[in-house]
Amino acid sequence: MTRTPRDLDILQQHIRVLNPRNTLRVDWAVLLLVLTLAVIGFLCLFSASRSAAASYYQRQIVYFLAGCLVAWLIVCIDHRFLVSLAPVMYGVAVGLLIAVLVSGRVAKGGQRWLSLGPFNLQPSEQTKIILVYMLTWYFTQVKERIHKLPYFMVAIAIAAIPALLILIQPNLGTAACLGPLVFVMLYVAGCRKWHLALMLLLALSVVPLVWIQMTDFDPGLGEDAIKATDANRAFYELRHYQKKRIYTFLHPEYDPRDAGWQTYQSKVTIGSGGLRGKGFCRGTQTYLRYLPEHHNDFIFSLLAEEGGFVAGVALLVLFLLLFWRGLAFAKDCPELSGALLATGAVTILGFHVCINIAITVGLLPVTGIPLPFLSYGGSFYLTTMMCVGVMLNVPIRSTMFD
C-alpha cells in the first residue's frame, strides 16, 4: 500500500506534458535546413512581388513567425499527450470541414475557406497533420490487430471521412494527399502486405473510371452547358474544369492560350533559366506575368528561371536532407507512436514537393498543390511548420522519461 503512491509520485516528477526546456534539445541540423528553405522562399516571393501590388514576402514572414510559434508549442508538449487528444482534434477537424461546406467562403471555384476576421483559414490543410495524429492514436490502440482486415478497413474509413468532405469542396489536390499518407502509415504500423496491395489496386481502379469519363468529354462546351453538366453529374464524376485539365495534359497542343497556358508557360519559364539562371529579380517570364500563380503553385518555375538548373537541384537536395533526417528520427525511435508521427510528417511534405515540381515541369495535370516553404499562403505554411514541429519533437520524446 505504501509503494504505489511512491511510484505515482516518481512518475509525476519525471513526466512533463509541457517542458519549454526541450527547445535546447532540438536537432539543429533540421533547424538550419528549415531556416535555409524559409529564406529561399522569402527571396522568391520578394522577386514575385515585383509584378504585383501585394508584398507577398512580408506577409510570408508573418506566416513563418506564426508557424514557428506553433512548432515551438509542439516541441514543448509530449507527443504522447497530443496523440491522446487525437480523437478530439479529429472531431474538431471534421466539424470545421462541415462548417466550410455550410458557410465557407467561395474563391477560385471552390468553397474551402472560413473567414476569421482578417485571416482566412483553410481547415483541409490542418486536417492533414491531424489525420497523422488520429491514425497514430488508432494504430497504438489496436497494435498487432492491424493485421486483421476489419481493423485495416477502420483505418481506411478514418481517412475516408475527411477525404470525402474535402472532395466535395472541391479540393482534389488536398484530398489526394491523404491517400499516400494512409498508405505509408499503414506500412509503418505493420499491416499485412496483401492488404496494402489491395488498397493500391483499389486506388488504381480510379484510372479506368476517369478514362471512361474522358472518352466523351467535349472541352469546347459553353458556360451554360458546363453549369448544366456539373449540376447533373454523378457524385464520382469530375467537374468540367478538372476534366479539362486532364484533357489539356493529354493533349498539350489543345488551346495553349487558355487551358494549357499555365503548363506551357511554366515549361518555358523553367527552360529559359538555363544552367545558372538569369539572376535574382531578373526573371522576365514572371515579371511580365506570362506565368500565372508564380507566387504560389508555380513558384518553383520562378526559382528555376532566376537560379537555373543549379538552384533547382540545390533546392531538391535541401528537401532530401530534411526528409532523410525526419526518417532517421522515425527509424531510431523505440516506440511506435513517435515513428508514425515522424513518418507521417515527412510524407505530407514529401508528397507536396514531388507533386508540385512534377506539375511545374509538365509531368502531371495542374492542380492546387503548393510547395513547402516557398509557395505563398498562411494555412499551408502553418501545416508545414506543424510538420517541422512534429519531426523535432519525436527524437526529444523518444524515451518514456525526460
Side-chain angles (χ1 to χ4, degrees):
M1 295 296 294
T2 59
R3 184 174 180 179
T4 302
R6 179 177 179 274
D7 290 342
L8 290 176
D9 182 63
I10 291 175
L11 289 174
Q12 291 173 357
Q13 290 180 6
H14 286 270
I15 294 181
R16 296 181 181 179
V17 173
L18 180 64
N19 188 0
R21 289 184 298 176
N22 288 340
T23 308
L24 302 176
R25 301 162 59 189
V26 297
D27 187 89
W28 295 102
V30 170
L31 287 182
L32 181 60
L33 288 169
V34 168
L35 183 60
T36 303
L37 289 167
V39 170
I40 292 174
F42 300 151
L43 294 176
C44 288
L45 289 175
F46 177 83
S47 178
S49 298
R50 295 182 303 141
S51 58
S55 298
Y56 297 121
Y57 70 97
Q58 294 179 354
R59 298 179 185 177
Q60 193 81 331
I61 291 174
V62 175
Y63 298 148
F64 172 73
L65 295 176
C68 286
L69 177 61
V70 174
W72 176 76
L73 289 174
I74 293 175
V75 168
C76 293
I77 300 175
D78 192 318
H79 70 251
R80 290 159 294 188
F81 175 73
L82 292 175
V83 169
S84 68
L85 296 179
V88 177
M89 293 190 291
Y90 180 80
V92 172
V94 172
L96 289 175
L97 291 175
I98 295 174
V100 167
L101 298 177
V102 175
S103 59
R105 186 174 67 88
V106 179
K108 298 181 180 180
Q111 190 170 346
R112 306 171 187 175
W113 292 269
L114 287 175
S115 295
L116 303 175
F119 183 71
N120 293 316
L121 178 67
Q122 189 176 356
S124 58
E125 287 296 340
Q126 284 68 56
T127 300
K128 301 171 188 175
I129 194 68
I130 290 175
L131 183 60
V132 171
Y133 278 105
M134 183 60 194
L135 289 174
T136 299
W137 175 84
Y138 175 72
F139 292 144
T140 54
Q141 295 297 312
V142 300
K143 297 180 181 179
E144 290 80 8
R145 287 175 291 177
I146 195 62
H147 292 164
K148 300 179 180 180
L149 186 59
Y151 292 95
F152 177 88
M153 295 307 298
V154 170
I156 302 297
I158 289 173
I161 294 173
L164 289 175
L165 293 173
I166 294 171
L167 279 174
I168 295 173
Q169 293 179 358
N171 191 346
L172 181 60
T174 301
C177 175
L178 304 186
L181 176 62
V182 178
F183 186 90
V184 172
M185 292 189 69
L186 278 167
Y187 176 81
V188 175
C191 70
R192 295 186 184 277
K193 302 300 186 293
W194 74 270
H195 289 169
L196 287 177
L198 178 63
M199 178 182 175
L200 186 60
L201 288 175
L202 289 174
L204 292 176
S205 66
V206 175
V207 176
L209 183 63
V210 173
W211 183 263
I212 292 173
Q213 296 181 42
M214 297 300 299
T215 53
D216 57 349
F217 174 68
D218 182 7
L221 289 179
E223 185 176 348
D224 293 337
I226 291 174
K227 291 181 179 179
T229 301
D230 287 343
N232 297 324
R233 68 186 180 90
F235 74 93
Y236 57 85
E237 285 190 87
L238 298 174
R239 292 176 179 266
H240 185 273
Y241 80 90
Q242 294 171 330
K243 294 179 182 179
K244 195 169 184 178
R245 286 178 177 178
I246 297 175
Y247 185 88
T248 305
F249 171 72
L250 297 174
H251 304 277
E253 73 283 356
Y254 171 79
D255 201 6
R257 294 184 178 273
D258 185 15
W261 179 259
Q262 284 182 311
T263 300
Y264 175 77
Q265 288 297 329
S266 177
K267 291 191 287 187
V268 170
T269 302
I270 293 173
S272 67
L275 181 63
R276 297 184 179 180
K278 300 176 180 177
F280 180 59
C281 289
R282 294 183 178 179
T284 54
Q285 292 292 118
T286 50
Y287 177 69
L288 298 176
R289 307 188 71 175
Y290 286 111
L291 178 63
E293 299 295 328
H294 60 267
H295 67 289
N296 197 347
D297 297 340
F298 287 89
I299 197 166
F300 180 79
S301 303
L302 182 149
L303 174 75
E305 181 186 23
E306 297 187 354
F309 179 78
V310 173
V313 171
L315 181 70
L316 290 177
V317 170
L318 290 173
F319 276 122
L320 288 174
L321 290 174
L322 179 64
F323 301 154
W324 169 78
R325 197 65 182 152
L327 293 177
F329 295 158
K331 180 181 178 182
D332 297 337
C333 187
E335 58 176 348
L336 179 61
S337 63
L340 287 167
L341 289 174
T343 304
V346 171
T347 302
I348 291 174
L349 297 179
F351 175 85
H352 279 80
V353 170
C354 293
I355 300 301
N356 177 275
I357 294 178
I359 290 171
T360 58
V361 299
L363 296 178
L364 288 175
V366 175
T367 185
I369 298 291
L371 186 62
F373 301 104
L374 274 73
S375 292
Y376 173 76
S379 291
F380 180 65
Y381 216 121
L382 182 61
T383 301
T384 299
M385 295 306 295
M386 290 172 71
C387 290
V388 172
V390 169
M391 284 192 292
L392 291 172
N393 184 286
V394 169
I396 293 174
R397 299 290 191 170
S398 60
T399 57
M400 183 171 181
F401 300 110
D402 292 343

